Amino acid sequence: MTVSGDSPTAPAGSLSPEAEAFVNSVGAATDLPAFVRNVRAIGSVAQNLDARVALLEDAIIQDVALTARILRIANSVALATAGPGASIESIKQAIMLLGYDRVQHLSMASSVFEKLEQDAPSVRDLMVESVLAANHGLQLALAVGYDRPEQAYLCALFRRLGEVVVACYRPRPYHTWLQHVLAGGSAHDGAEAAHFQFTFEEVGGALARRWGMPNGVVRTMRAFRGVSLEGDPLHAITQCSVDIARCLYGAVPAPRGVTVESIREQYAKAIGLDVQGMTECVAPALTEARPTLSSMQVDLEAWLAGHADSMAAARARQTDTQHGVFHAVPLVAQSPEDVEQEVLQGIRDRLAVYDHDTPREAQLREAVRQLVNHRQQETSGFSVGSVTDSTLRAACAAGYERGVLGISSEDFKLIRGRMGIGRGSTELARNFLLRPTPAFGPLGAALHLRSDLFIELTGADARLYGRDRLVKELAPSHFALLPLVLEAKLIGCLYFDSTMESVETTDTSRDLLCALRDQLVAAFARHRARTNDTAALTA
């Protein structure tokens, strides 16, 4: 029996903006463990196979849990191929039996999995479920005589990587999603797209490719559609193991009519093992999972008992719902600090480094990142004056010649220039005057509607905005107008312009300029909150 090689997969189709932002933020937050970087470097450091084996062995034995896992898998293979009495007692023997590439992939991928945080209960439960699925996949592979059982282990371990990292790095949205499913919402693969604007499958596959996981792992992250590749049962083994683990150990009760027996019958032919043979794989899978779970500080018996209680409560709730008794989903109260952290997390997603940034886009991205860091650390760099200065300077670095901050009057009926930067900015700030009303012209109408403007004065835009009294006076070739809105009130605006062909407006640069504006609004909000606190203390 043969299996497709571990050559790199072809690039995946383009991700949605939301998925790309999430993948970039998680990819940066979950940097590869030092062990993985070391193992990747071995191939370039030592061209001789014996030298590479020695270096790989030395890297592995420094990780006790990883050493135990590789030895267990190697001994399972030895038992299946050589019969009782066969024993693998060293990592070098394991490498000789399994092959250098196979042990390297197993080591790298397992280390990535263990890098994820386990603090959130949802993450821990998903990881336990994944370990149980992995060991079930290993036992199925051994039972059917598959020649690369460690691949089956890895594929089942990482089949739900996307969901694990979402639960890990977006705990509150994931908790809301899980409560929705427990309350009867759709739980089929892909249903999460409506909640997160991406699927677990697409972000899992993208991260697996980024982290250099074996091709088989990436390929089997896609749902199995009933057709094996060139007679290779790996995909069917993976999906079967994951479906059985979800049915037995998942956080949501299995849909009506879905049982472990029905899953086995569904996959028996594709795997090449009868239902009885599949049933016999469960006990050794649980036995093999215990040491790994113990290294995660998980007592399997206690976890299974707690899971059984959770499932009983969930099924009782479903029965009540069928009889017209509805239970309100408990709301998790969010403190202002929690809300702030969620906002900052969303901004960090948008700030993830993109390789295709132009130099100007990269400068803008870095300017926003610095402001977010000041905001999170509550430094003096997040004062209104500092953020205004940083924002205006970043806009000039993006190609605008000058910029101005306009502030609303106390009755919010007039916006006057307050602070400027760039060539002629002093005169611009002194003459900058807008009324946020359609009667004042196109710029006034945009402020009235709280609309962002990025305008190149050519064609129809020249005819529309060229008649605005302020535009006539300033005579720019490009300009941007960004309202500052706080608690539904227009507190001011940012205006940037250029009289030369120096502005390269892209969707990315516009989004980043808006992100700078958002930081300025946040700085105003923080200033107002502190001013109110001071007033309350002195009252």
Side-chain angles (χ1 to χ4, degrees):
M1 182 182 297
T2 60
V3 63
S4 55
D6 291 327
S7 58
T9 56
S14 59
L15 297 172
S16 66
E18 294 82 5
E20 188 172 7
F22 178 77
V23 167
N24 278 303
S25 66
V26 171
T30 317
D31 192 16
L32 290 176
F35 171 82
V36 176
R37 293 195 296 272
N38 292 341
V39 170
R40 279 186 167 174
I42 288 172
S44 59
V45 171
Q47 297 302 317
N48 178 271
L49 178 59
D50 289 339
R52 291 206 305 273
V53 167
L55 288 170
L56 179 59
E57 179 185 20
D58 184 60
I60 290 172
I61 60 177
Q62 296 179 48
D63 185 328
V64 176
L66 179 60
T67 298
R69 186 173 304 119
I70 290 175
L71 288 177
R72 284 200 306 276
I73 290 177
N75 274 290
S76 296
V77 173
L79 180 64
T81 56
S87 177
I88 302 298
E89 299 178 355
S90 71
I91 291 297
K92 184 173 183 179
Q93 286 180 296
I95 297 173
M96 293 298 102
L97 174 66
L98 298 175
Y100 176 86
D101 290 340
R102 296 161 78 176
V103 174
Q104 184 189 43
H105 284 144
L106 178 64
S107 305
M108 288 169 55
S110 295
S111 296
V112 169
F113 187 77
E114 291 182 347
K115 174 72 174 176
L116 297 174
E117 299 294 336
Q118 302 177 37
D119 293 340
S122 296
V123 180
R124 196 173 193 77
D125 289 345
L126 281 169
M127 292 177 74
V128 171
E129 186 182 337
S130 295
V131 169
L132 292 169
N135 281 279
H136 190 264
L138 174 66
Q139 295 304 317
L140 283 177
L142 292 170
V144 79
Y146 189 65
D147 63 352
R148 301 190 73 177
E150 83 293 336
Q151 280 263 318
Y153 179 94
L154 285 181
C155 291
L157 183 67
F158 289 107
R159 173 62 177 83
R160 296 176 69 187
L161 175 65
E163 186 171 357
V164 172
V165 294
V166 170
C168 180
Y169 291 96
R170 299 295 180 273
R172 285 186 176 276
Y174 183 80
H175 175 77
T176 302
W177 152 256
L178 193 58
Q179 292 301 313
H180 164 73
V181 174
L182 284 168
S186 177
H188 67 79
D189 286 341
E192 68 276 7
H195 185 77
F196 297 99
Q197 284 71 59
F198 55 73
T199 66
F200 298 146
E201 179 183 306
E202 65 177 324
V203 297
L207 285 168
R209 283 185 290 271
R210 169 173 293 199
W211 290 333
M213 292 185 187
N215 182 47
V217 170
V218 179
R219 176 167 59 85
T220 56
M221 282 184 169
R222 297 188 293 272
F224 179 68
R225 303 301 182 191
V227 179
S228 297
L229 180 65
E230 299 174 355
D232 175 14
L234 180 62
H235 205 164
I237 289 173
T238 301
Q239 191 69 52
C240 177
S241 301
V242 170
D243 286 354
I244 286 178
R246 193 185 323 228
C247 183
L248 289 173
Y249 317 117
V252 180
R256 182 177 299 179
V258 176
T259 64
V260 173
E261 289 72 22
S262 68
I263 295 171
R264 288 176 181 142
E265 290 172 358
Q266 178 185 352
Y267 290 102
K269 183 177 180 181
I271 293 175
L273 188 65
D274 61 32
V275 171
Q276 179 59 36
M278 296 171 74
T279 303
E280 292 172 356
C281 292
V282 174
L286 288 172
T287 300
E288 288 293 322
R290 280 185 174 83
T292 300
L293 294 175
S294 178
S295 70
M296 295 166 55
Q297 287 77 54
V298 174
D299 182 309
L300 181 57
E301 278 64 36
W303 186 89
L304 289 173
H307 178 267
D309 291 342
S310 297
M311 286 300 96
R315 290 191 183 95
R317 191 162 145 188
Q318 287 182 343
T319 300
D320 286 347
T321 301
Q322 292 166 8
H323 289 84
V325 179
F326 296 95
H327 298 265
V329 176
L331 297 177
V332 180
Q334 284 188 287
S335 66
E337 292 76 15
D338 288 338
V339 173
E340 172 78 350
Q341 287 306 311
E342 283 197 12
V343 170
L344 291 176
Q345 183 60 63
I347 297 168
R348 281 190 287 269
D349 287 352
R350 293 164 62 188
L351 294 180
V353 175
Y354 286 78
D355 294 337
H356 55 266
D357 271 350
T358 67
R360 285 179 173 176
E361 289 169 348
Q363 280 185 289
L364 283 173
R365 197 179 298 278
E366 182 57 30
V368 184
R369 184 180 292 110
Q370 288 181 6
L371 289 181
V372 170
N373 288 339
H374 288 309
R375 179 177 174 181
Q376 185 173 25
Q377 297 164 15
E378 299 188 1
T379 68
S380 59
F382 202 69
S383 66
V384 169
S386 295
V387 176
T388 300
D389 183 68
S390 296
T391 300
L392 294 175
R393 290 182 184 280
C396 289
Y400 292 100
E401 288 183 271
R402 59 188 180 178
V404 65
L405 166 69
I407 296 296
S408 292
S409 59
E410 289 187 5
D411 59 5
F412 301 101
K413 293 182 178 180
L414 186 69
I415 295 179
R416 288 190 180 276
R418 177 69 62 84
M419 177 180 178
I421 194 171
R423 184 178 61 82
S425 60
T426 301
E427 182 181 359
L428 172 62
R430 184 169 58 248
N431 297 329
F432 188 83
L433 180 89
L434 280 171
R435 292 187 184 278
T437 169
F440 197 78
L443 298 193
L447 290 175
H448 177 72
L449 296 172
R450 283 38 170 186
S451 298
D452 298 331
L453 296 180
F454 291 91
I455 303 299
E456 180 180 0
L457 285 163
T458 59
D461 281 343
R463 291 191 293 274
L464 173 61
Y465 293 99
R467 62 186 174 85
D468 188 279
R469 66 190 71 182
L470 183 62
V471 173
K472 283 182 180 179
E473 181 181 335
L474 299 176
S477 62
H478 298 74
F479 74 85
L481 182 72
L482 304 178
L484 305 177
V485 181
L486 177 61
E487 296 177 358
K489 293 186 179 297
L490 182 71
I491 63 171
C493 69
L494 290 167
Y495 172 87
F496 315 112
D497 72 10
S498 178
T499 58
M500 303 182 298
E501 299 297 323
S502 59
V503 180
E504 299 174 4
T505 53
T506 64
D507 289 342
T508 298
S509 65
R510 292 174 182 177
D511 183 62
L512 291 168
L513 282 168
C514 289
L516 284 166
R517 180 269 311 279
D518 295 343
Q519 299 315 299
L520 181 54
V521 171
F524 273 108
R526 183 169 291 180
H527 174 75
R528 174 178 292 185
R530 287 174 175 170
T531 301
N532 290 341
D533 288 345
T534 301
L537 288 172
T538 57

